């Protein structure tokens, strides 16, 4: 373990150095200590500028949480179908994996063309008036759908990669014992997929939380998620907005790091809990030894 | 130079860098930019000599196909004849180019990667505040003699004195256009346009500031509410802002329910508005580059029935420029290109609607008769009237500081209505 840590140290050190320097610079800029021109002047104004920062954080959390939930549910369904439906399932898995290399920018553009008020679907159904408004709404519908579509493929891939071997065998066994597809999904695949689902969900959450293209292209003009606000302020012609841009970006980093920390803690507790449960189960067995075992033990003793 | 802050920001106590951690010191040590010598060439011939063999990186908005084609196919070959390689660097927003310059200056780089920027207005002023532009070099450009030194569009850029910090490139006039198939009688003034929008709910919108075009519309509404361009002082101050901006913001708030999507959201930029216009979702569009409309109609990006909407009280006009960053590596080459871009030959090529259709910055009275006829014989466009007609009753841009202040006020009240 310590040897592995030592081997990884150079790479980790480099990343920490580069990332740390960037974050420190951002922090100094957000506090007015590294101005683009003029004298440095300490100020926390960029951090306390009304409720705009908190509002943006709320929007970002909403988009990330909803997209993650949808992606995890959809991804699990794809994986479960792929595991239980034979050849058709493999086709679905291959199709969903094929969407992964598409960049989010392209996917967002495509979703935009598909779902706008005068977009492809509205024209296809010939309903320019009655087509639901999905792009640029207060509910961020199109942006969330884009994330859910793209990221569910990622979730499915992680789950399939993590459990396909053990799950396929177990679910076949369950099937020969008469378990229905629903029973196999709920009692065999879901328990096995819990860990890969949690990890993939965490990755999706952090990714969508910081992602820019889809909310920018498919969301309304206001309010803004953190990523969009940070980019807008960074590119603002008002140079006094630079500290606010940095404060926004750092808020985004801070929340993402906090979520990762909490999730790692949660996963560790989950793992310890399941270990303890399994230990307790084996402990119960030793307290109430089966007649077979006790006889063998007594046999060994004699 | 005093800096106006549009928003009241709390200022706390001063803290010197010395109190920050050692790592911070290390990082910020390279942030100090030394004053840059801007007049190193005795005359233009010296600059031309130094320019030979240089590669000039021209950073410009990359979303205009005709502009890209003009630079690649006309300006770059002409620059090559001077021994200068002209490389076009496309950006989505001119502020990106300035950001690059400022970041390189902050990092202490004197061999900057940006040599020339297509710039005007807010980006220029911001750069001047940060002392990012090389100044005092345009007087020595020989082709400056063809421009009118008294032309207010060329002496001030959004209220910021040009002072030889940028070379004029072309003129622009803010214009509205409408779909002549769906609008029988177009409004003929801004107040009429607002009335029309209320009478035709959902058929009008404007790009959301800080988009350049949306920002202009905001200022036009403010000028119109104040009773005309003469009524508003061009200079920005908190008092002026408090006096004139509320009427504009209130008007736009009242207008919002009549807009596309009931004003719940706005098209993000001019392209998004053009898309709505082409999809038939709105009937009126707007642009600061009316010269481009001909090509947009030809290419099918806008319908054939697109027409310029005449505005009685006139609209705002400006000129755009080429600026050289103070830390540009190939400044001599950049000067050579800026002079070339201002030549009657290049200006006439660029003014052709088939090529780019940008209005010239040259003064016809100062040109040779031969060159003058070249401009007079340019083909006319069925969509866009000529510059003289477009710029009738035109008024100058307000000071740059109005721009972010008004944009922010709009975002705070109208956008989150």
């Amino acid at each position: 373990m310590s040897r592995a840590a030592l081997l990884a140290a150079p790479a980790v050190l480099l990343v920490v150095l580069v990332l740390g320097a960037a974050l420190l610079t951002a922090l100094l800029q957000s506090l007015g200590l590294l101005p683009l021109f003029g004298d440095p002047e300490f100020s926390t104004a960029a951090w306390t500028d009304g409720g705009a920062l908190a509002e943006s954080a709320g929007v970002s959390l909403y988009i990330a949480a909803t997209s993650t939930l949808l992606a995890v549910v959809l991804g699990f369904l794809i994986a479960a179908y792929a595991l239980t439906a034979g050849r058709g399932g493999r086709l679905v898995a291959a199709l969903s994996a094929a969407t992964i290399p598409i960049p989010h920018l392209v996917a967002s553009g495509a979703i935009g063309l598909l779902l706008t008020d005068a977009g492809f679907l509205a024209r296809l159904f010939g309903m320019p008036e009655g087509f639901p408004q999905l792009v640029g709404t207060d509910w961020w519908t199109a942006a969330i759908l884009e994330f859910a579509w793209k990221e569910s493929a990622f979730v499915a891939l992680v789950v399939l990669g993590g459990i396909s071997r053990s799950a396929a065998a177990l679910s076949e066994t369950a099937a020969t014992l008469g378990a229905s597809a629903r029973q196999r999904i709920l009692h065999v695949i879901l328990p096995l997929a819990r860990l890969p689902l949690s990890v993939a969900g965490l990755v999706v959450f952090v990714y969508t939380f910081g992602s820019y293209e889809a909310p920018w292209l498919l969301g309304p003009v206001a309010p803004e998620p953190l990523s969009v606000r940070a980019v807008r302020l960074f590119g603002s012609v008002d140079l006094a907005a630079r500290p606010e841009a940095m404060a926004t970006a750092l808020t985004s980093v801070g929340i993402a790091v906090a979520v990762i920390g909490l999730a790692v803690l949660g996963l560790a507790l989950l793992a310890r809990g399941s270990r303890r449960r399994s230990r307790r189960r084996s402990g119960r067995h030793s307290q109430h030894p089966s007649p077979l075992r006790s006889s063998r033990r007594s046999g060994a003793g004699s | 130079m005093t800096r106006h802050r549009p928003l009241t920001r709390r200022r706390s106590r001063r803290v010197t860098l010395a109190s920050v951690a050692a790592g911070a010191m290390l990082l910020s040590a390279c942030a100090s930019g030394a004053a840059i010598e801007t007049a190193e060439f005795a005359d233009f011939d010296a600059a031309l000599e130094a320019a030979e063999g240089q590669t000039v990186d021209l950073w410009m908005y990359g979303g205009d196909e005709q502009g890209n084609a003009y630079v690649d196919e006309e300006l770059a070959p002409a620059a090559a004849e001077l021994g200068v390689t002209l490389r076009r660097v496309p950006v989505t927003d001119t502020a990106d180019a300035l950001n690059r310059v400022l970041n390189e200056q902050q990092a202490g780089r004197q061999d900057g990667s940006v040599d020339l920027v297509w710039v005007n207005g807010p980006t220029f002023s911001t750069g001047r505040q940060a002392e990012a532009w090389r100044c005092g070099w345009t007087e020595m450009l020989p082709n400056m003699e063809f421009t009118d030194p008294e032309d207010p569009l060329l002496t001030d850029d959004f209220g910021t004195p040009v002072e030889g910090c940028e070379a004029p490139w072309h003129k622009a006039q803010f214009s509205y256009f409408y779909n002549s198939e769906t609008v029988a009688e177009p409004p003929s003034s801004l107040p009429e346009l607002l009335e029309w929008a209320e009478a035709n709910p959902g058929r009008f919108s404007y790009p959301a500031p800080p988009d350049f075009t949306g920002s202009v519309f905001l200022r036009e509404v403010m000028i119109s509410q104040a009773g005309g361009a003469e009524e508003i002082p061009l200079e920005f101050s908190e008092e002026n802002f408090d006096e004139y901006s509320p009427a504009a913001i209130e008007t736009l708030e009242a207008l919002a329910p009549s807009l596309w999507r009931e004003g719940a959201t706005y098209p993000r930029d001019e392209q998004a508005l053009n898309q709505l216009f082409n999809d038939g979702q709105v009937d009126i569009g707007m642009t600061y580059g009316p010269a481009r409309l001909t090509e947009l109609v030809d290419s099918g990006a806008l319908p054939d029935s697109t027409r310029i909407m005449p505005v009685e009280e006139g609209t705002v006009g400006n000129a755009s420029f080429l600026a050289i960053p103070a830390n540009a590596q190939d400044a001599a080459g950049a000067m050579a290109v800026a002079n070339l871009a201002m030549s009657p030959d290049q200006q006439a090529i660029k003014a052709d609607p088939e090529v780019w259709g940008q209005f010239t910055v040259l003064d016809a009275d100062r040109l040779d008769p031969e060159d003058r006829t070249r401009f007079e014989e340019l083909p006319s466009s069925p969509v866009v009237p000529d510059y003289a007609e477009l710029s009738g009753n035109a008024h100058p841009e307000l000071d740059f500081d109005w721009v972010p202040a008004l944009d922010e006020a709009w975002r705070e009240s109208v956008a989150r209505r």
Side-chain angles (χ1 to χ4, degrees):
Chain A
M1 184 66 189
S2 67
R3 181 136 181 261
L6 214 64
L7 280 172
V12 171
L13 203 70
L14 207 65
V15 168
V16 167
L17 207 71
V18 170
L19 217 60
L23 290 175
L24 187 64
T25 314
L27 182 69
L28 290 179
Q29 285 195 14
S30 79
L31 293 173
L33 295 174
L34 262 185
L36 283 170
F37 67 99
D39 295 323
E41 185 179 346
F42 179 78
S43 160
T44 53
W47 290 92
T48 53
D49 208 9
L53 204 55
E55 185 193 47
S56 286
V59 172
S60 282
L61 281 172
Y62 160 72
I63 297 174
T66 327
S67 322
T68 307
L69 191 72
L70 277 177
V72 165
V73 170
L74 267 177
F76 174 72
L77 290 179
I78 294 172
Y81 184 74
L83 286 170
T84 50
R87 193 174 295 160
R90 277 198 292 279
L91 186 71
V92 167
L95 278 180
S96 80
T99 66
I100 290 179
I102 302 174
H104 270 276
L105 183 62
V106 175
S108 302
I111 289 267
L113 291 175
L114 197 68
L115 297 182
T116 44
D117 305 3
F120 182 72
L121 281 187
R123 282 170 203 226
L124 192 68
F125 297 133
M127 46 192 295
E129 297 302 319
F131 194 74
Q133 292 179 352
L134 301 170
V135 174
T137 61
D138 289 346
W139 296 104
W140 300 81
T141 323
I144 289 170
L145 286 177
E146 195 274 336
F147 282 136
W149 165 50
K150 282 275 294 161
E151 298 303 322
S152 64
F154 167 75
V155 171
L157 195 75
V158 171
V159 170
L160 283 175
I163 66 164
S164 63
R165 194 166 297 174
S166 52
L170 282 172
S171 100
E172 261 170 47
T173 313
T176 48
L177 292 173
S180 68
R182 191 167 163 270
Q183 283 171 324
R184 275 179 284 155
I185 289 173
L186 284 181
H187 298 293
V188 179
I189 299 175
L190 185 58
L192 280 172
R194 219 166 41 189
L195 188 67
L197 272 183
S198 319
V199 173
L202 175 64
V203 172
V204 171
F205 183 89
V206 174
Y207 178 81
T208 49
F209 186 78
S211 185
Y212 173 77
E213 302 95 334
W216 184 80
L217 265 171
L218 303 173
V221 164
E224 300 167 297
L226 289 168
S227 55
V228 176
R229 183 178 140 90
V231 172
R232 176 177 63 82
L233 290 172
F234 185 77
S236 171
V237 291
D238 182 11
L239 290 180
R242 187 60 70 90
E244 288 173 12
M246 292 303 167
T248 311
L250 285 176
T251 306
S252 173
V253 171
I255 293 177
V257 168
V259 167
I260 293 174
L262 280 176
V264 168
L265 206 71
L267 283 175
L269 285 176
L270 195 80
R272 194 193 294 171
S274 67
R275 258 207 307 278
R276 197 178 296 154
R277 251 197 315 281
S278 62
R279 213 180 298 139
R280 216 182 302 141
R281 218 173 289 144
S282 56
R284 247 202 321 271
H285 284 304
S286 59
Q287 270 167 12
H288 307 282
S290 65
L292 186 74
R293 250 195 221 170
S294 63
S295 67
R296 202 190 284 159
R297 198 181 284 164
S298 58
S302 61
Chain B
M1 183 164 190
T2 53
R3 168 145 184 83
H4 309 296
R5 283 173 190 247
L7 294 172
T8 46
R9 291 193 165 83
R10 254 193 292 150
R11 291 178 175 218
S12 308
R13 67 203 162 91
R14 259 173 181 275
V15 170
T16 54
L17 269 181
S19 66
V20 186
M25 285 290 286
L26 201 74
L27 276 170
S28 56
C30 51
S32 60
I36 294 138
E37 187 60 53
T38 58
E40 67 201 65
F41 303 105
D43 55 18
F44 188 67
D45 287 333
L48 262 188
E49 209 167 294
E52 278 221 33
Q54 289 193 340
T55 299
V56 173
D57 288 304
L58 166 60
W59 288 53
M60 59 181 267
Y61 172 67
D64 179 346
E65 288 304 327
Q66 271 186 306
N68 296 345
Y70 162 72
V71 170
D72 292 344
E73 289 160 21
E74 304 290 346
L75 192 57
E81 283 173 22
L82 300 173
V84 176
T85 311
L86 180 63
R87 225 168 21 191
R88 186 171 54 80
V89 181
V91 288
T92 51
D93 191 332
T94 310
D96 294 351
L98 179 63
N99 252 326
R100 177 65 173 260
V101 173
L102 293 175
N103 288 337
E104 286 184 354
Q105 276 192 347
Q106 198 168 42
R109 264 186 73 176
Q110 291 308 316
D111 57 340
S113 47
V114 185
D115 298 313
L116 200 58
V117 187
W118 175 22
V119 72
N120 87 330
T123 322
F124 174 67
S125 309
T126 304
R128 285 223 61 187
Q129 281 169 359
E131 291 173 9
W133 307 125
R134 171 186 283 261
C135 285
W137 56 274
T138 60
E139 298 94 84
M140 68 178 188
L141 301 185
N143 286 330
M144 278 298 275
E145 65 167 302
F146 300 122
T147 64
D148 178 1
E150 306 289 311
D151 188 343
L153 285 187
L154 304 187
T155 54
D156 282 282
D157 187 357
F158 278 69
T160 305
V162 169
E163 288 171 350
C165 303
E166 50 180 3
W169 202 20
H170 47 248
K171 287 183 178 173
Q173 191 68 40
F174 184 59
S175 311
Y176 305 94
F177 51 90
Y178 67 100
N179 189 335
S180 60
E181 256 177 26
T182 48
V183 184
E185 277 182 54
S188 61
S189 67
L190 184 51
E192 274 185 35
L193 170 62
L194 300 183
E195 274 169 35
W196 182 92
E198 272 170 16
N200 298 274
R203 306 300 297 172
F204 178 70
S205 192
Y206 55 94
D211 174 74
F212 193 67
T213 311
S215 261
V216 184
F217 181 69
L218 245 59
R219 296 195 292 281
E220 288 288 84
V221 169
M222 182 171 76
I223 289 169
S224 165
Q225 288 300 311
E230 318 74 55
E231 304 297 321
I232 290 191
L234 297 181
E235 309 85 64
F236 176 89
S237 70
E238 293 286 347
E239 296 85 68
N240 288 345
F241 184 75
D242 292 342
E243 186 175 348
Y244 295 104
S245 69
I249 297 296
E250 279 161 26
T251 307
L252 291 171
E253 272 181 311
L255 180 70
S258 315
L259 295 178
W260 171 73
R261 287 277 192 90
E262 284 99 44
T265 189
Y266 292 79
R268 230 162 241 298
D269 46 30
E270 196 184 316
Q271 282 71 31
L273 180 65
N274 284 356
Q275 185 72 47
L276 291 181
F277 185 85
N278 199 28
D279 285 344
Q281 297 204 64
V282 298
D283 295 321
I284 292 181
M286 57 189 77
T287 180
Y288 221 136
R292 290 184 59 206
L293 290 178
T294 315
E295 143 72 16
L296 288 174
V297 169
D298 283 349
S299 69
L302 292 178
D304 288 336
S305 47
T306 305
R307 293 289 175 276
I308 289 279
M309 186 181 109
V311 183
E312 270 168 29
E313 73 272 26
T315 56
V316 66
N318 76 23
S320 53
F321 298 81
L322 292 170
I324 303 178
N327 66 348
Q329 188 176 22
D330 301 303
M335 286 178 204
V337 171
N339 184 58
L340 177 69
M342 226 191 303
S343 65
D345 190 38
Q346 286 292 325
Q347 290 274 319
I349 293 174
K350 191 171 59 167
D352 186 343
E354 295 281 309
V355 179
W356 197 4
Q358 293 286 11
F359 308 124
T360 183
V361 288
L362 304 184
D363 180 8
D365 295 340
R366 285 162 208 268
L367 294 175
D368 300 338
E370 200 182 319
D371 286 327
R372 201 177 310 150
T373 38
R374 278 191 74 179
F375 283 100
E376 281 161 5
E377 285 171 358
L378 285 173
S380 62
S381 154
V383 185
V384 189
D386 64 10
Y387 181 69
E389 192 177 325
L390 263 183
S391 63
N393 297 332
H395 45 260
E397 271 289 1
L398 298 174
D399 275 11
F400 140 77
D401 290 286
W402 284 97
V403 179
L406 207 54
D407 288 357
E408 193 58 35
W410 180 87
R411 175 167 288 281
E412 287 300 320
S413 42
V414 183
R416 42 173 88 231
R417 197 168 48 87

